[in-house]
Amino acid sequence: MGDPNPTPDVRIFPDQAAQMAAAADEILRRATDGVASQGKFTIALSGGTTPRALYALLASTERHERSWRAGLPWDRIHFFWGDERHVPPEHPDSNFRVAQDAMLSKAPVPAENVHRILAESSSAELAAEAYAEHLRTFFRLEAGQWPRFDLILLGMGADGHTASLFPESEALYDQTRIVAAPWVEKLKTHRVTLTPPAINNAAAVVFLVQGEEKAHRVKEILEGELAKPLYPAQLIRPSRGALIWILDRGAAKLLRSYA
Ligand code: 6PG
């Protein structure tokens, strides 16, 4: 049994390049170990803008001091998503499209290793149910079991949301479903998202957060004395896994540990 409430492993980097290289190293290490021990590696990707540079770096053929592309066991890595917008895969807002354009279309990834959320469905709820069923099949889950991703990559919004778990969302306290399709009032749209218990069952959760505009929230979440979780990102505490925050200088600027 892992630490029930792991102390977050907070890693701070001076700039985006160093931050993304650190995230790429963590993925490379875990993917290599995972394939060596279990023959495959399952990763749920995050959306938004922050991870684009990471995805590009992982697939890059440019000469870096380390080549993540050359080292990653692409044919043994299974790519999932932690959440998706309620749009078709070719839509510019699609989290699948962000990863597809930056990485998956540029690296030797077998098509059957890409497990996108079918968010083109007219019903976000149906897309959520289909994704949950796919996860139950892939992870060979019995009733009541949760998928255990090897790594879930998450971002965080300035409002403390993560994946598509937004403040006051009905999905925040869903303890039965693996995937939910909450209405997001501020965005006037449905989203499809893994629920907190599904995320918290991962072997590792990595938050990749960048920018000064998030510094206050990062401080509240990592150093706040908040008894009751106020922000969705505070609900992410893997029960048997690592919790890693990979921050740039801007996002970390208010942390005591950064001073
Ligand atoms: C999404 C993401 C979301 C994202 C944060 C941060 O679908 O948008 O999953 O949780 O990680 O909103 O987004 P940025 O990286 O664009 O700041």
Side-chain angles (χ1 to χ4, degrees):
M1 284 288 284
D3 173 348
N5 272 310
T7 306
D9 171 357
V10 180
R11 305 173 190 175
I12 301 168
F13 297 90
D15 54 37
Q16 184 196 46
Q19 181 189 23
M20 295 307 156
D25 283 344
E26 188 66 26
I27 291 169
L28 176 60
R29 184 174 69 80
R30 289 182 177 272
T32 307
D33 292 353
V35 167
S37 61
Q38 57 189 20
K40 68 175 182 299
F41 181 71
T42 56
I43 181 170
L45 301 176
S46 68
T49 56
T50 301
R52 287 181 182 166
L54 169 61
Y55 300 154
L57 192 62
L58 290 171
S60 170
T61 54
E62 281 166 36
R63 286 205 54 72
H64 293 275
E65 62 277 18
R66 333 198 253 299
S67 167
W68 294 280
R69 182 194 179 88
L72 281 166
W74 293 99
D75 62 330
R76 299 296 185 89
I77 301 176
H78 287 267
F79 294 91
F80 298 83
W81 277 261
D83 71 316
E84 187 55 278
R85 283 81 181 285
H86 189 199
V87 295
E90 65 278 2
H91 192 286
D93 289 350
S94 161
N95 290 339
F96 160 79
R97 177 166 172 189
V98 168
Q100 173 71 1
D101 290 353
M103 175 173 66
L104 300 175
S105 60
K106 297 183 164 67
V109 179
E112 63 271 18
N113 288 24
V114 179
H115 308 266
R116 71 178 182 86
I117 299 169
L118 305 179
E120 60 272 32
S121 166
S122 57
S123 154
E125 183 58 41
L126 286 178
E129 286 165 15
Y131 190 49
E133 186 54 32
H134 182 73
L135 294 177
R136 279 191 287 271
T137 302
F138 182 89
F139 287 96
R140 299 192 176 91
L141 303 183
E142 305 287 332
Q145 287 187 324
W146 301 94
R148 184 163 170 79
F149 288 95
D150 294 311
L151 193 154
I152 296 180
L153 183 66
L154 293 175
M156 188 193 73
D159 62 357
H161 84 260
T162 189
S164 283
L165 299 165
F166 286 80
E168 282 103 56
S169 166
E170 76 259 17
L172 291 180
Y173 299 100
D174 190 328
Q175 293 297 317
T176 53
R177 286 188 296 176
I178 297 171
V179 187
W183 173 256
V184 183
E185 182 56 29
K186 75 186 269 190
L187 302 175
K188 300 286 186 235
T189 184
H190 281 99
R191 289 282 189 93
V192 179
T193 186
L194 292 178
T195 57
I199 296 172
N200 284 331
N201 198 49
V205 173
V206 174
F207 276 94
L208 187 66
V209 183
Q210 191 179 79
E212 288 194 6
E213 72 280 6
K214 301 181 183 177
H216 281 285
R217 205 64 72 231
V218 166
K219 180 171 181 61
E220 283 184 289
I221 289 167
L222 291 180
E223 296 181 349
E225 307 304 323
L226 301 162
K228 184 170 79 65
L230 209 49
Y231 304 110
Q234 286 173 290
L235 297 174
I236 305 307
R237 308 297 300 262
S239 51
R240 294 175 298 127
L243 177 58
I244 301 166
W245 286 70
I246 298 181
L247 305 170
D248 76 335
R249 181 204 312 262
K253 65 181 274 196
L254 299 177
L255 292 179
R256 283 193 303 272
S257 51
Y258 180 64

